Amino acid sequence: MTTSYLKFPVLFLFFMTSICLAQNGSKEDFHFLERTEDIKINLKKGAFNIVKSIHEKAEYLTANKLYFANETLRFDSFTQLKDIEATTYLPATGKTLEVDYIETKHEFDDGIFYSDQQTKNFTFPAVTKGAITDLKYKEVISEPHFLGLFRFGTYAPTKKAVLRIEFPKNVEIGYREFHTENITVNFNKEETKNSTIYTWTTENVAKFSGEENSEAALYHLPHIILHIKNYTERGKTIPILNNVDDLYSWYASLAKQVDEKDLQKVYKIAEDIAKKYTTDREKAEAIYNWVQENITYVAFEDGLGGFIPRGAASVCNNRYGDCKDMANLLYVMLNHVGIPSYRTWIGTRDRPYLYDEVPTPMVDNHMITATVIDKDTIFIDGTDSYVNFGMPSSFTQTKEALIGISPEKFILKKVPEQASNKSKAIVNTKITFNDGNINASEERVLTGYEKVDFVTDYLYKKKDNTEEEFLNTTLALGNNKSKYQNIKVSPLESKYKTLTLSFDLLIESYAKTIGSKTILNLNIDRALSKQKIDIVKRKYAKKIDHKFQKEYTTTFVIPEGYKVTSIPKPIKYDGKAYGFSISYEEKEGEIIQHKTIYINTLRIEKEDFEAWNSFVKKLIKAYKKSIIIEK
């Protein structure tokens, strides 16, 4: 669901992904003196007029971060910006300078085919140490389902943050605070003759700064989400977003607007695919693979077009669509061949909410398809071109899905975490030794999300690098002198259950020889060795994208004229959430190392940091163990 009203929060999350709360009292270069949002809701004959008056006043304590003077205000089909006033006050001279040029631009981010989002861009003039910038503007909201959120904290310290909402007596407002337990938020309710006013005020909110591999910003950022629950006119209460029922009712009303004409070609494709198979599971998998391989994902952000799927015929003819378009195409094709399937709304793991907590469009940002085969609900996501049928996209694991059964009925169902044995890397390596160098022949068979991760990196991160440069960075085997040759990658399409990567490896000056003895370490792949957590500095849980297993069999051919004088003892760490085992055996002129690593969790909580570090330390210690051969 690529919608323009979500765009600013998404960009904000991207800018502040995985954040942590900075300590009060630290030296700062920039802070907000005041951040206020004043929302005024008017209602006349069932038509809402919603205006946000926004005010931000900031001070530059040093000249180190003058880039904050560059301002971007976003708007789209649901919002209109008015009355922008922006000035810089210079205390040293007493001058106030106005922004004299504001540029309006269309925004097209990577991966977005069309966006109705636009920006107002300007720079505060003459900003230097001591300058105070002042920004005021109005945001007119045309859709009452979108009140959005207010952030009490942000990327810089905030001296004072105020949210105020005024609404008629016949309107009911709902709200929910998140992550405000570490700040003091004062709430005040005021009644006037015709209105109710809610005000939230907080002071001295510390800034947030990035933290690698943690959950997205909204998991930690103190904020509040508002929504219009209902209004009453002529004795009748009209629902807007009282609860999940109302949210689904609105979604279902939009789904009714899907163009369902000219579906004969879509039906024919579905029939031709399905007739080759006997079971519903085989048919569904084949149709899913067809959509993955024939429909290109492109994002659209165009008003309600960000919510209403395009017709299946259009998507099929054009061979592209966004998440809701691909979800609807699967819905049409699967139901046509008799496989019960449903349009499904869901938030990715960047959204920390449940539907009952936040019955607003803020809870979800994606659409997939749910199909039921042999009483098993299978979540399928056409936008993930490489995940196999039967597994959800990794970024929807654990998330609550809103499954539309009919225009009047829905169910909520949690997307299950996928077991570690569904995402395996099976690595077989044969190593020979010659004059201090080693030659290795390796084959990696990847399944599940391990396969998806490699394919994604291979297609989108490799860029202009050679395959050897890509593998040297991605795998980092042996040492910095490793050379990859004869690289082969099996077909990448989703219909293949596994991906096979093979290559030959030359690692120069790898072994250490002292007299007649040679010391050689068979752990050329040291997965997780750099994953120790800084317990003192880290504030938030460590996020893991998916559970996985790695199984290594490394065979070292004992050179002629050598004998084995030392083999490491077995070592293991057998935890419920993560662990490993490494053992060695000598057999028929070879030393065989068996190594397994598993991660059975998607999150390392702060109270488990020491246990995690103990696991990593023991793994690193095991990695340092070497075999010794002697002439």
Side-chain angles (χ1 to χ4, degrees):
M1 186 184 303
T2 51
T3 70
S4 48
Y5 94 95
L6 288 173
K7 185 63 186 211
F8 176 70
V10 169
L11 286 178
F12 177 77
L13 293 182
F14 178 78
F15 179 72
M16 293 176 57
T17 299
S18 307
I19 58 172
C20 66
L21 184 60
Q23 297 294 320
N24 281 309
S26 60
K27 293 182 180 179
E28 298 296 342
D29 300 298
F30 171 91
H31 65 184
F32 286 103
L33 298 171
E34 182 180 354
R35 294 173 44 250
T36 66
E37 193 169 287
D38 195 331
I39 306 172
K40 184 71 178 290
I41 297 177
N42 289 308
L43 177 66
K44 187 176 182 180
K45 295 182 179 179
F48 281 94
N49 178 261
I50 304 170
V51 179
K52 288 185 181 181
S53 296
I54 297 166
H55 181 205
E56 291 185 350
K57 194 172 186 179
E59 180 181 19
Y60 292 77
L61 302 172
T62 73
N64 294 334
K65 294 186 178 178
L66 300 184
Y67 54 80
F68 283 136
N70 299 311
E71 188 70 46
T72 298
L73 308 179
R74 292 175 170 81
F75 65 102
D76 52 39
S77 299
F78 300 120
T79 57
Q80 178 187 358
L81 298 185
K82 296 175 58 177
D83 303 334
I84 300 173
E85 299 177 16
T87 62
T88 301
Y89 172 65
L90 301 173
T93 63
K95 290 184 178 180
T96 298
L97 306 174
E98 294 184 4
V99 169
D100 58 4
Y101 176 70
I102 299 176
E103 182 183 19
T104 302
K105 298 167 69 174
H106 268 281
E107 290 289 290
F108 289 92
D109 292 336
D110 290 343
I112 296 179
F113 179 76
Y114 176 79
S115 173
D116 66 345
Q117 179 161 300
Q118 299 181 65
T119 59
K120 299 282 188 180
N121 305 274
F122 57 89
T123 300
F124 287 100
V127 170
T128 187
K129 179 180 177 180
I132 295 174
T133 56
D134 201 307
L135 171 63
K136 297 177 182 176
Y137 63 96
K138 289 183 171 64
E139 187 177 292
V140 181
I141 300 172
S142 61
E143 172 52 66
H145 291 88
F146 303 149
L147 285 189
L149 60 79
F150 177 76
R151 302 174 305 281
F152 293 110
T154 183
Y155 55 87
T158 299
K159 300 291 286 183
K160 185 177 183 179
V162 180
L163 171 64
R164 181 179 182 272
I165 182 168
E166 181 176 353
F167 51 96
K169 290 289 184 67
N170 62 332
V171 173
E172 185 178 0
I173 294 294
Y175 61 88
R176 188 178 181 108
E177 294 180 15
F178 292 89
H179 316 305
T180 56
E181 58 275 5
N182 293 322
I183 64 174
T184 300
V185 179
N186 296 311
F187 172 74
N188 182 63
K189 180 179 178 181
E190 180 184 350
E191 301 280 356
T192 66
K193 182 180 179 180
N194 298 313
S195 301
T196 302
I197 303 169
Y198 291 167
T199 305
W200 293 265
T201 305
T202 186
E203 296 181 348
N204 298 319
V205 183
K207 76 171 184 179
F208 291 82
S209 54
E211 193 166 77
E212 188 178 5
N213 296 324
S214 68
E215 300 286 4
L218 291 178
Y219 281 82
H220 314 294
L221 186 72
H223 64 282
I224 185 171
I225 294 179
L226 302 171
H227 56 102
I228 299 173
K229 299 181 74 173
N230 57 67
Y231 65 95
T232 303
E233 281 192 346
R234 298 179 182 179
K236 183 179 180 181
T237 299
I238 295 89
I240 302 293
L241 291 172
N242 281 295
N243 47 38
V244 188
D245 289 33
D246 291 343
L247 178 62
Y248 178 70
S249 179
W250 185 60
Y251 282 169
S253 73
L254 297 177
K256 287 180 181 178
Q257 300 178 44
V258 175
D259 184 356
E260 297 181 342
K261 295 180 293 187
D262 302 321
L263 294 176
Q264 291 74 20
K265 181 179 179 180
V266 178
Y267 291 160
K268 181 68 164 55
I269 293 172
E271 290 166 2
D272 287 345
I273 295 170
K275 69 183 181 183
K276 301 173 186 176
Y277 303 95
T278 55
T279 69
D280 283 351
R281 187 177 182 91
E282 290 172 330
K283 294 175 184 178
E285 182 172 355
I287 288 172
Y288 171 63
N289 289 340
W290 185 90
V291 170
Q292 284 180 302
E293 294 170 16
N294 290 276
I295 308 298
T296 301
Y297 171 76
V298 292
F300 291 88
E301 298 181 353
D302 186 16
L304 284 178
F307 286 84
I308 303 170
R310 289 160 189 80
S314 172
V315 175
C316 198
N317 287 331
N318 293 329
R319 289 294 200 263
Y320 62 75
D322 63 12
C323 64
K324 64 188 181 303
D325 302 336
M326 298 173 87
N328 182 66
L329 178 60
L330 284 164
Y331 161 83
V332 170
M333 296 178 78
L334 292 169
N335 278 300
H336 180 68
V337 297
I339 301 172
S341 301
Y342 311 95
R343 299 185 186 101
T344 300
W345 292 261
I346 193 167
T348 63
R349 285 177 66 187
D350 286 343
R351 300 286 167 120
Y353 316 116
L354 298 173
Y355 278 94
D356 285 326
E357 289 180 331
V358 185
T360 84
M362 284 300 302
V363 73
D364 50 42
N365 58 349
H366 194 42
M367 183 179 275
I368 57 176
T369 310
T371 185
V372 178
I373 300 175
D374 298 329
K375 298 182 179 180
D376 180 23
T377 301
I378 301 171
F379 296 99
I380 52 180
D381 186 350
T383 69
D384 194 332
S385 299
Y386 303 101
V387 71
N388 294 132
F389 181 82
M391 296 182 72
S393 44
S394 66
F395 51 83
T396 60
Q397 292 179 99
T398 75
K399 295 300 298 178
E400 194 176 49
L402 175 63
I403 304 173
I405 304 300
S406 71
E408 297 78 30
K409 182 182 178 183
F410 68 90
I411 60 172
L412 295 173
K413 194 175 182 70
K414 185 177 179 181
V415 177
E417 298 178 16
Q418 299 300 291
S420 61
N421 62 7
K422 289 188 175 183
S423 298
K424 278 190 175 183
I426 301 172
V427 184
N428 289 292
T429 310
K430 190 165 188 177
I431 295 176
T432 58
F433 169 70
N434 182 32
D435 195 24
N437 304 328
I438 68 169
N439 292 92
S441 178
E442 183 163 297
E443 180 183 83
R444 293 177 171 238
V445 179
L446 309 177
T447 65
Y449 300 134
E450 290 289 285
K451 168 194 165 186
V452 173
D453 282 354
F454 179 84
V455 174
T456 302
D457 288 346
Y458 186 76
L459 292 177
Y460 302 109
K461 293 183 180 180
K462 177 175 174 286
K463 297 184 179 178
D464 296 329
N465 292 330
T466 65
E467 289 188 324
E468 181 177 8
E469 290 169 336
F470 169 72
L471 292 182
N472 227 333
T473 301
T474 304
L475 299 181
L477 302 181
N479 57 30
N480 57 7
K481 298 180 181 179
S482 299
K483 296 179 181 178
Y484 297 80
Q485 298 173 324
N486 302 321
I487 301 167
K488 296 178 182 178
V489 180
S490 69
L492 306 179
E493 290 83 2
S494 60
K495 63 185 177 183
Y496 298 102
K497 298 294 185 184
T498 63
L499 180 142
T500 301
L501 166 69
S502 64
F503 50 85
D504 294 328
L505 192 66
L506 169 63
I507 311 177
E508 297 178 347
S509 305
Y510 184 76
K512 184 177 182 180
T513 299
I514 303 173
S516 61
K517 295 182 179 180
T518 296
I519 303 169
L520 195 145
N521 192 312
L522 298 186
N523 294 292
I524 61 173
D525 186 335
R526 301 191 175 196
L528 301 181
S529 62
K530 297 181 180 179
Q531 294 297 314
K532 183 181 175 184
I533 294 173
D534 188 330
I535 296 175
V536 175
K537 292 183 179 180
R538 191 171 183 98
K539 298 181 181 299
Y540 295 118
K542 176 184 174 67
K543 175 188 174 185
I544 296 174
D545 290 333
H546 60 265
K547 301 175 181 179
F548 62 85
Q549 294 181 13
K550 295 180 183 292
E551 298 180 358
Y552 300 85
T553 302
T554 302
T555 302
F556 174 70
V557 179
I558 302 170
E560 192 173 333
Y562 281 80
K563 63 179 180 179
V564 179
T565 58
S566 179
I567 295 178
K569 294 180 180 178
I571 186 169
K572 67 187 302 186
Y573 183 105
D574 194 11
K576 181 179 179 181
Y578 36 80
F580 74 90
S581 66
I582 302 178
S583 63
Y584 299 79
E585 63 173 325
E586 184 179 356
K587 185 178 180 181
E588 299 176 355
E590 298 175 336
I591 299 174
I592 303 172
Q593 182 202 64
H594 301 281
K595 178 169 62 179
T596 61
I597 302 172
Y598 62 88
I599 302 293
N600 286 335
T601 183
L602 298 180
R603 188 178 170 95
I604 309 298
E605 300 291 353
K606 191 169 183 179
E607 57 266 27
D608 297 322
F609 283 178
E610 289 191 4
W612 172 267
N613 280 351
S614 177
F615 157 66
V616 173
K617 286 177 183 177
K618 196 166 186 178
L619 180 59
I620 292 172
K621 183 178 179 180
Y623 282 158
K624 292 179 179 179
K625 302 294 184 181
S626 299
I627 63 172
I628 299 176
I629 57 176
E630 188 173 358
K631 283 186 178 180

